[in-house]
Amino acid sequence: MTTTSLPGANAQAEVPLKRRLRRAERTRQVKALALVLPLLLFLLFTFAGPIAGMLWRAVEDWEVRQVLPQTTAALASWDGKDLPDEKAYAALASDILAARAAGTVPIAAKRLNYALNGFRTILTSTARNLKAVPEPGTAKETLGKINPAWRERATWTTIKDASGPITGFYLLAALDLTRNADGAIVAAPPDQAIYRDIFLRTFLISLGVTALCLILGFPVAYLLATLPPGRSNLLMIFVLLPFWTSLLVRTCAWIVLLQSKGVVNDSLHWLGIIDAPLRLIYNRFGVCVAMTHVLLPFMILPLYSSMKAISPAYMRAAASLGAPPLTAFLRIYLPQTLPGIGAGSLLVFILALGYYITPALVGGAADQMISYFIALYTTETANWGLASALGAVLLLATVLLALVYGKLVQGQQVTGGMKN
Amino acid sequence: MLKRKIALGFAAALGASAALATIAEARDLTVVSWGGAYQEAQKKVYFEPFKKASGVAMNDESWDGGVGVLRAKVQGGAATWDVVQVESDELAVGCEEGLFEKLDYSKIGGEAAYIPPSVNPCGVGAILYDFVLGYDKDKLKEAPKGWADFFDTKKIPGKRALRQGPKTTLEIALMADGVPPKDVYHVLATDEGVERAFQKLDTIKGDLVWWKAGAQPPQLLASGEVAMTSVYNGRIDTANKNEKKNFGMVWDGALFTLDSWVILKGSPNKDAAYKFLDFVGKAENQSKLSENIAYGTSNKDAAGRLPPAVLKDLPTAPDNIKNAVEINVAFWLENIDRLTERFNKWAAK
């Protein structure tokens, strides 16, 4: 009897135990969450929020909707094949009159001008010359008389494309693409197709600077990691001193050194090595030199910390087993520094991608990186849609790179290079 | 963008932190200008005397321009600036976007007190200045006569500097190619004109250096990096006066433009701002500015108070403005995006 009732009793006792366990777990989780909540909120408001706002700006299309509401509504049913009907013209006339009274014409004009150069003039001159609501049935004629552009299909497709609420216009433009009058995605006209080249340029400069930093930084980090502490600390100060100096100061110092009557050219001239000054600045060379100098510590520090952790006994063991120095280095030492190389390279590369001041000061017109254009459209011409779209593309590329790096590092279990 | 003075980053950061500290309480009148030698002159003849005369507490900051900066300030709410000096294109776009207060001219001496180009519903003219051809008299045997010489590397060897971007660059290229100053924008409005400008730039592409901030051209001349450069006329004057340089400039074919004072929309210090604008609009104060830095000013009577020696070096002197072109704001508003892309395409080739 008791034996048969036991399992049941056990089962009854077991449920509350499980539940109690779950409850205890939950309390722990809540406590942990409460501890990180301030940081989470901080990141949400100062980091995730603004980035989301930027991504939204890259696709948002509010100007034409807000300024020309009736036209937008009238064009919703238009098939885009012929000119729109009288109704759309009448809607546009009344929108323009209302917008002129409210002073909002330029807002729509600015947005439409991005898509069709000259639209600013079409809209502002129409607003200036349209004195009153046209008689019913004459709107088409009146607007066509004021500006012949209203008799063209492209004018109207531009308005329809910009009707919002969201648009791919800016993102397409950031990739040198555009929509033609029939709505198909085509390559942008060659005069305006510049962003792919600039992204490529940005990646190439960043890659070159990363490679230079690695070649220059690796021996220095090795020296730092193997010297006795006293001397290695002194060297470390030499690494950190430029690290603590303002970027602007270091960049300007390179201008003084590299200009055609600068220290480098004058010394070479005095030594009789060159007759005419070399062009070392306001070109790609100057950008790479200055950026490498600025970013070098970011490579050396991760390398140093990974090398510090490698015991010298490994190399001695390899030598005692008969490995020549080069083999020992390649098979034993180098694989153990890979995490440092990876971290340093990724850090330098991602920092270099966003560089702005240095290329702006020591580069030529053909060496400006993508951040220069993001800054230009943000502050100078206030084309925030395009600035956000360029930022979104850069962000996406950087995230992809970080993911690839993560995959590589995970697959790189440090086995000391030994075959399992 | 980096416009006039690059090392403003520090000042801006300091200013921003100071501004953040005072955001909660009512703040003093904040006036923003372009920094550098120009703001030093303004401090001397405008800011300090204004504080003494009116008893209004004010502080000044500097910025690098860009209508996007103003838009962010105003749309972000709680803008920390009241009166800002802006360039003509910033004035036009900001006015369209409603970033500035509409000015009540009766509070600043009436419209009739100012020269016509400086009167705008959203802003009142502050200075008139030129992009001129600048060179170092000590280094060039033969003085350049105009933009044609700027493009003639046989006659005057050496590199040249222009402001990065299409604005001013294309106009200069056309004038060098023989377009009379008054026709520059007619020609530039056509595709052939744009093509012609870029073709002219091609002829000296290898010898061109691009500057971004107004402080750079005098440095480029002083270091011998370039033989000639486009430059703000006031910078040449300051370098000659303060650093004992011997720079020359060519007024023929210069491009002139106006900077204006605006009051940011929703400023809590509007009354103090009007007092300030009234003070800096007075002829007796403006003439002192021209004596300190060679820029023309907006009050009709300011030039008349100046000695002839000062007047002859101003952009507003009759001989200097005779063959100058006003930078066409409407043209650039319409075409800046397209031509910037085109310019960068050309630069990367």
Side-chain angles (χ1 to χ4, degrees):
Chain A
M1 263 172 30
T2 46
T3 46
T4 49
S5 66
L6 255 174
N10 264 357
Q12 269 174 355
E14 228 171 336
V15 177
L17 186 65
K18 261 191 187 155
R19 205 177 295 157
R20 277 211 301 275
L21 191 67
R22 266 210 302 273
R23 203 174 296 152
E25 282 285 319
R26 219 182 4 251
T27 332
R28 259 225 307 276
Q29 278 171 347
V30 170
K31 268 188 192 152
L33 187 67
L35 285 172
V36 295
L37 193 65
L39 178 67
L40 271 181
L41 284 175
F42 176 78
L43 282 180
L44 205 67
F45 278 106
T46 59
F47 190 70
I51 287 181
M54 178 197 80
L55 294 174
W56 169 241
R57 275 222 170 82
V59 295
E60 184 189 24
D61 210 357
W62 57 274
E63 292 97 333
V64 177
R65 273 183 99 69
Q66 195 177 308
V67 178
L68 309 172
Q70 299 171 47
T71 317
T72 311
L75 287 181
S77 56
W78 175 51
D79 59 4
K81 290 211 169 48
D82 263 323
L83 282 177
D85 55 7
E86 178 65 27
K87 231 181 30 234
Y89 279 92
L92 179 73
S94 98
D95 272 341
I96 287 180
L97 284 169
R100 177 136 203 240
T104 53
V105 174
I107 295 175
K110 188 180 166 106
R111 163 65 183 91
L112 292 165
N113 201 63
Y114 295 150
L116 186 68
N117 206 69
F119 216 127
R120 183 185 272 274
T121 312
I122 298 173
L123 207 58
T124 45
S125 73
T126 308
R128 238 197 338 269
N129 295 318
L130 189 66
K131 297 286 182 267
V133 182
E135 295 293 318
T138 61
K140 197 166 186 168
E141 200 183 329
T142 317
L143 286 168
K145 258 201 208 112
I146 290 176
N147 197 321
W150 297 117
R151 297 190 196 124
E152 313 238 343
R153 193 169 66 109
T155 314
W156 290 94
T157 48
T158 306
I159 297 183
K160 190 176 160 82
D161 286 345
S163 297
I166 57 166
T167 179
F169 173 77
Y170 297 115
L171 284 168
L172 288 175
L175 298 168
D176 293 342
L177 299 167
T178 180
R179 282 183 193 280
N180 63 11
D182 301 321
I185 293 174
V186 292
D191 277 351
Q192 289 160 28
I194 58 167
Y195 301 111
R196 277 186 221 172
D197 290 350
I198 291 162
F199 276 115
L200 187 70
R201 175 193 302 170
T202 306
F203 281 94
L204 285 177
I205 291 177
S206 304
L207 209 61
V209 168
T210 309
L212 277 172
C213 282
L214 186 59
I215 292 164
L216 295 172
F218 195 91
V220 174
Y222 179 78
L223 198 62
L224 284 171
T226 49
L227 279 177
R231 266 189 292 174
S232 105
N233 282 347
L234 183 70
L235 275 186
M236 190 50 119
I237 289 175
F238 284 125
V239 172
L240 290 175
L241 205 61
F243 188 58
W244 292 328
T245 314
S246 147
L247 176 138
L248 213 54
V249 172
R250 284 182 286 166
T251 304
C252 292
W254 280 111
I255 298 178
V256 174
L257 286 169
L258 297 177
Q259 59 193 6
S260 46
K261 292 203 169 51
V263 180
V264 174
N265 267 317
D266 278 358
S267 313
L268 290 173
H269 190 77
W270 182 75
L271 292 167
I273 298 172
I274 52 167
D275 299 329
L278 298 169
R279 253 194 119 158
L280 304 171
I281 197 156
Y282 307 120
N283 56 17
R284 194 64 55 91
F285 177 81
V287 173
C288 287
V289 168
M291 277 177 71
T292 302
H293 173 233
V294 169
L295 290 167
L296 200 52
F298 291 100
M299 183 63 91
I300 293 177
L301 295 172
L303 278 174
Y304 167 78
S305 65
S306 75
M307 288 175 180
K308 222 31 203 175
I310 300 168
S311 162
Y314 290 145
M315 289 298 271
R316 286 203 290 273
S320 75
L321 291 168
L326 185 67
T327 311
F329 172 77
L330 288 176
R331 298 271 308 270
I332 306 296
Y333 196 81
L334 190 65
Q336 295 187 80
T337 62
L338 278 179
I341 292 177
S345 302
L346 189 76
L347 194 61
V348 169
F349 185 79
I350 287 181
L351 281 171
L353 277 184
Y355 252 54
Y356 168 58
I357 294 277
T358 307
L361 286 176
V362 300
D367 307 309
Q368 300 308 323
M369 294 164 78
I370 195 69
S371 49
Y372 167 83
F373 291 88
I374 295 175
L376 176 85
Y377 289 123
T378 305
T379 58
E380 202 70 358
T381 67
N383 184 346
W384 287 2
L386 188 53
S388 303
L390 291 170
V393 173
L394 183 63
L395 179 70
L396 185 76
T398 313
V399 167
L400 279 176
L401 276 168
L403 287 176
V404 168
Y405 166 79
K407 279 270 176 291
L408 284 178
V409 169
Q410 262 177 359
Q412 260 301 337
Q413 288 306 335
V414 183
T415 57
M418 283 174 285
K419 307 244 178 346
N420 298 330
Chain B
M1 207 170 88
L2 306 168
K3 203 171 280 182
R4 281 161 211 240
K5 194 164 182 285
I6 276 173
L8 287 176
F10 288 104
L14 285 173
S17 53
L20 280 174
T22 56
I23 217 164
E25 62 230 50
R27 46 185 188 78
D28 296 341
L29 176 72
T30 305
V31 176
V32 185
S33 179
W34 297 114
Y38 175 48
Q39 193 150 338
E40 287 307 313
Q42 286 179 310
K43 270 199 181 105
K44 197 165 120 188
V45 304
Y46 285 169
F47 304 162
E48 297 305 327
F50 170 69
K51 276 188 241 181
K52 275 204 195 74
S54 68
V56 171
M58 70 158 269
N59 49 46
D60 60 300
E61 289 179 26
S62 44
W63 76 312
D64 274 341
V67 76
V69 175
L70 300 174
R71 193 202 276 178
K73 282 257 172 211
V74 173
Q75 291 182 354
T80 46
W81 296 349
D82 300 301
V83 178
V84 185
Q85 189 166 135
V86 296
E87 289 186 348
S88 50
D89 52 338
E90 286 148 4
L91 175 70
V93 178
C95 197
E96 287 177 352
E97 292 195 4
L99 303 179
F100 311 137
E101 295 284 349
K102 291 275 187 287
L103 285 189
D104 176 357
Y105 272 83
S106 67
K107 292 184 182 168
I108 52 173
E111 289 180 23
Y114 299 96
I115 54 171
S118 69
V119 176
N120 181 289
C122 291
V124 57
I127 48 166
L128 191 146
Y129 58 94
D130 280 57
F131 282 85
V132 292
L133 192 168
Y135 60 99
D136 191 340
K137 288 179 184 167
D138 292 343
K139 294 200 177 84
L140 293 193
K141 289 192 286 285
E142 185 180 2
K145 293 190 182 50
W147 297 116
D149 289 352
F150 187 91
F151 280 76
D152 191 342
T153 44
K154 280 200 190 68
K155 189 171 163 188
I156 303 171
K159 286 193 231 132
R160 284 84 164 111
L162 288 171
R163 178 173 163 169
Q164 181 160 322
K167 202 171 169 176
T168 68
T169 304
L170 299 182
E171 292 96 319
I172 285 169
L174 285 181
M175 285 191 269
D177 206 31
V179 177
K182 63 181 192 317
D183 297 336
V184 163
Y185 288 101
H186 296 306
V187 177
L188 204 52
T190 63
D191 289 346
E192 298 78 38
V194 173
E195 201 54 48
R196 183 174 165 185
F198 279 111
Q199 270 168 2
K200 186 70 184 174
L201 286 167
D202 270 331
T203 59
I204 55 162
K205 193 170 179 179
D207 292 305
L208 277 173
V209 169
W210 302 97
W211 60 265
K212 292 166 204 77
Q216 287 173 291
Q219 287 163 5
L220 291 167
L221 285 179
S223 67
E225 185 73 21
V226 299
M228 289 176 274
T229 177
S230 67
V231 54
Y232 296 113
N233 70 290
R235 300 272 178 177
I236 292 282
D237 211 63
T238 312
N240 288 348
K241 270 189 198 144
N242 302 352
E243 289 155 43
K244 302 286 172 282
K245 295 284 175 206
N246 188 17
F247 293 163
M249 53 189 153
V250 181
W251 292 101
D252 194 24
L255 292 152
F256 74 89
T257 182
L258 279 157
D259 277 3
S260 305
W261 293 110
V262 297
I263 303 176
L264 284 195
K265 191 93 183 170
S267 156
N269 295 322
K270 231 182 296 184
D271 290 344
Y274 272 118
K275 275 191 196 141
F276 173 79
L277 292 187
D278 185 41
F279 185 86
V280 302
K282 285 197 164 42
E284 62 266 31
N285 298 323
Q286 288 195 352
S287 60
K288 285 185 201 129
L289 183 82
S290 297
E291 281 172 27
N292 274 279
I293 193 160
Y295 291 130
T297 52
S298 57
N299 191 303
K300 279 177 183 165
D301 304 329
R305 300 167 156 268
L306 290 167
V310 174
L311 193 60
K312 75 168 177 33
D313 289 333
L314 292 187
T316 36
D319 277 352
N320 298 343
I321 208 159
K322 192 172 60 189
N323 224 359
V325 203
E326 182 169 12
I327 295 178
N328 186 326
V329 179
F331 174 84
W332 283 113
L333 281 185
E334 177 135 315
N335 296 292
I336 187 77
D337 285 292
R338 176 179 68 107
L339 290 176
T340 300
E341 284 169 346
R342 174 79 198 263
F343 173 83
N344 286 295
K345 188 87 188 167
W346 170 83
K349 265 201 301 240

